[in-house]
Amino acid sequence: LKQSGKFPGNPWPPYKKRTPLHPSYKGLIKLLHCKTLHIVLFTLLYKILMDHQNLSEHVLCMVLYLIELGLENSPEQELDEEESAGGQEHCHDSWFPGSNLVSNMRHFINYVRVRVPETAPEVKREPPASTSSDGLASSQNSGTAQVFSLVAERRKKFQEIINRNTSEANQVVRPKTSMKWSAPGATPQLTTAILEVKESILSLLIKLHHKLSGKQNSYYPPWLDDVDVLIHPEVPRYSHGDGMTAVERILLKAAVQSRLNKRIIEEICKKVTPPVPPKKISSAEKKTLDKEERRQKARERQQKLLAEFASRQKSFMETAMDVESPDADIAMEVATSEQHVSEAIYDCVICGQSGPSTEDRPTGLVVLLQASSVLGQCRNSTDPKKLPTTEEEQIYSSDTCAALHEVRLTTLQQYFKDSSCLQAVSIGWEGGVYVQTCGHTLHIDCHKSYMESLRNDQVLQGFSVDKGEFTCPLCRQFANSVLPCYPGNNVERSLWQSHSNKSMQDLVQEVEDLQEQLGTFPSETNLSKEMESVMKDIKSTTQKKYTDYSKTSGSPDNDFLFMYSVARTNLELELVHRGGNLCSGGASAAGKRSCLNQLFHVLAMHMRLYSIDSAYNPWRKLTQPMQDKNTEQLVSEELPEVPVLYRDVSSLLLIQILTMPQPLNKEHFTCIVKVLFTLLYTQALAAFSVKCTAEERMAWEESGALKKNTSSGEKSWEVLLGHVISELSKGKIYEEGENEELTVVNPDSVECYLQQFCLPFLRITSLLQHHLFGGDLPSCQEDEEFTVLASCLGLLPSFQSAHQFTSASCLDWPVPAFDMISQWCSELASFAESHPDQVKALLIQEPKWDLPRLLQLPENYNTIFQYYHRKTCTVCTKVPKDPAVCLVCGTFVCLKGLCCKQQSYCECVLHSQNCGAGTGIFLLINASVIIIIRGHRFCLWGSVYLDAHGEEDRDLRRGKPLYICKERYKVLEQQWVSHTFDHINKRWGPHYNGL
């Protein structure tokens, strides 16, 4: 309208001529001819005219629109309609005589009884002398003042309904205290006043026209000049305009439909101001008027905005600070008797809509999946390895975490049944998949269209869309997959799960029954499809050699092992990021950015599809004494199962948790932890007993036997240790060569050893509990970490003071302890008969892993340069043109060297896959800079060697002496450990396997 120049001012809706109403909606028209609506319209017009503060231009626009609609759809026979409608409508208000808008518009209302605050300006104390009407409709007017409290009347009825059935109402209607409404007459600050109104809708409209135009005599009935207006009312200039035009349009329609209305409009106009012929305005005056008008409107707009902000702020404060009243609380209790937790609401960063994740339209977290070998680089010595700078210094990877785990798995596979071995360990120390998120969510279908638009985008991106890579639409963080959010409750489930008083035996049985339930293959919903596709993504993130450890390639045991190991990898890495222990407590270091809860759901859904044959379910071996052992001996053609004491307890925990139906009950979780803790403790005692000398073993065995029959025998480590030693002595376990490693007599150091042995498991379990059930982790001192975590997990019945605390008091045996221990030890004894040399080697020893570190570099760069720039390549024995060295393991490689190329992969790329599962950190000897290889991309990181002025010397052009910058090296190491190379470094390019 503005551009076409049809209307210069500020047009009001409707902007187009209305189309005829669809016949289906004819019933709604009746609402336009109902007294209640007319009362509301009259009230609003009156308030707008009196400058009531809360009524905006928008409200007025709607009021005029409704009046105009009513006039357009008015019934033909005015009088007949009035009588019939009067019979139907049950609104006992003496405001208007009938229900036809055309006749009600001219009806004068003199006095109104109204409930207003005492401070209101409208309050007039003296009662009216007479209630006679000036209008033509005086005969219809009753002698009483109309009750203005229409809303109060309705509320009164509503209140009656509520009081009839309070019990239902408590659930249906819970007025917030901030609303502060009740039955009329209850609030003391309201008072009944009688207002003198003496207006009809027509008179209000005319006054409104004057008010809008800002001039006294602005409205002049057009038919006084031109009678044709009434005969042909559809004049083009009436089709759109601002508020004044709308009022003119309504008055014209009212006059066309009824002669009475036409007369009343003329009378009102004469009374308000005698008609004056319009004055011609010069163009200059018009311009200044327009300017003034624009300023005025701008001011109004600004005030409106400020008022809106203020009201929003106020309502926000009310809801934020709102403390429920006691009766509202009772109502809440009724509603929450079946405990129900609100669904998690997610915001999609693409379409901006919020809502829960559903089966049909799942929401997903933006995640980056990357293969990682950081955990495998942990060593069990605290002094960091140095980068070799002489021929004598060499680094052997045999003491890394990855190497030791690999050796252990290979040894187990040599002597035991393959499928059982693949449940006794975790993999992922090398080439494990780490999942991290920026915390933003999006609808999976929105993500697909986003990826489509990226594919069609011609701009060169630093990532490969075909490989599923993209940047988060909101924060631009690099990502390559979307992890579906499981529909249902928030993480804070545990907060309302009351602790039941079920006995340990009942819970053990319940856990077993739940595991026996087969995971049904999920129905083909969008959610299950997405969960399958994200599982494929997770699998394809790492190379095949890191997922296939079974003797028969592609066996389902492999997948099972890989899935729970992904969970293990992510928990272990979070532990590393927290500094190797949980003393700092608090929520996840990443806080909102943790995606482990969603990851566990995806893994659990897939792991439930693999049923563990109940005969081999480890849970049975942990909670039931086995009856006959003869059957096992008969089937001895195939290799035996892995003895329980050789199994990794953290892996067992994840297997138990992830094969249970989700979401898990807190009490079942605690039950599993308690049972596994008894096994872990027995492992610790067995590992300790092997370290003692023969005499010490004798002494422990005797002292244990003395106390065996005391009441707390099952909760004393001395008794249990004595029992373990006596049981293991039956086999040939202690005979192989005396082990003089540890000579411990002091009971305190035994206690300390046992606690240190159990701590890694407690840390992983606490993290798992935190992610599954919410709730913060407690912070503590290092020396009390064991007790704090044990009580947090529910192992410690009541918190004891540290000086008389023993780790054995956390034990809660599901069956008599000595039977269980005898059964577990007998498995070892039978294994020792055939392989006495391996029994001790396979007992789980928990070496204290240090946090993963890069190699320590020498202070002066010259030391590195002199040794490496003359070093020859091991393949072609020539000095490479671009030598480089890996800062993770110290391997010397040729950058871009064709001599070392294997199947079109140059050596650096190949090494980054073997050493870091796709991540390589190389120091280029001739340039003093570091390059990072991440998958199919690489980037220059910069140099950690600077000259005396703190500047880099790339390519060693200036030849200044360079010294290590410890801060930079720390940052590099931090980025490596926290897997943030992709997010922090921006200049990535493809390397096409040519580095």
Side-chain angles (χ1 to χ4, degrees), residues 365-371 433-438 442 447 450-451 454-455 463-473 477-483 533-534 536-538 540-542 934-937 982-983:
L365 270 172
V366 177
V367 291
L368 174 63
L369 309 172
Q370 49 181 312
V433 179
Y434 178 57
V435 188
Q436 55 180 324
T437 174
C438 57
L442 32 77
H447 170 246
Y450 175 58
M451 291 302 284
L454 285 180
R455 253 181 223 106
F463 49 86
S464 153
V465 183
D466 298 328
K467 291 191 171 80
E469 296 172 352
F470 63 100
T471 52
C472 169
Q477 188 162 305
F478 182 72
N480 57 11
S481 187
V482 173
L483 188 63
S533 83
V534 82
K536 281 184 194 138
D537 286 352
I538 291 175
S540 59
T541 302
T542 187
R934 267 279 304 119
H936 62 97
R937 315 184 300 158
D982 292 290
H983 311 320

Side-chain angles (χ1 to χ4, degrees), residues 198-243:
K198 290 193 174 163
E199 297 285 2
S200 67
I201 294 184
L202 287 177
S203 70
L204 287 175
L205 283 170
I206 292 168
K207 286 183 179 170
L208 192 68
H209 189 282
H210 298 174
K211 185 180 169 186
L212 288 172
S213 66
K215 291 197 289 291
Q216 260 303 299
N217 49 2
S218 58
Y219 184 71
Y220 184 70
W223 56 87
L224 297 180
D225 295 344
D226 179 9
V227 187
D228 289 352
V229 173
L230 292 177
I231 304 157
H232 314 290
E234 281 304 316
V235 185
R237 72 162 183 273
Y238 272 94
S239 59
H240 50 74
D242 58 8

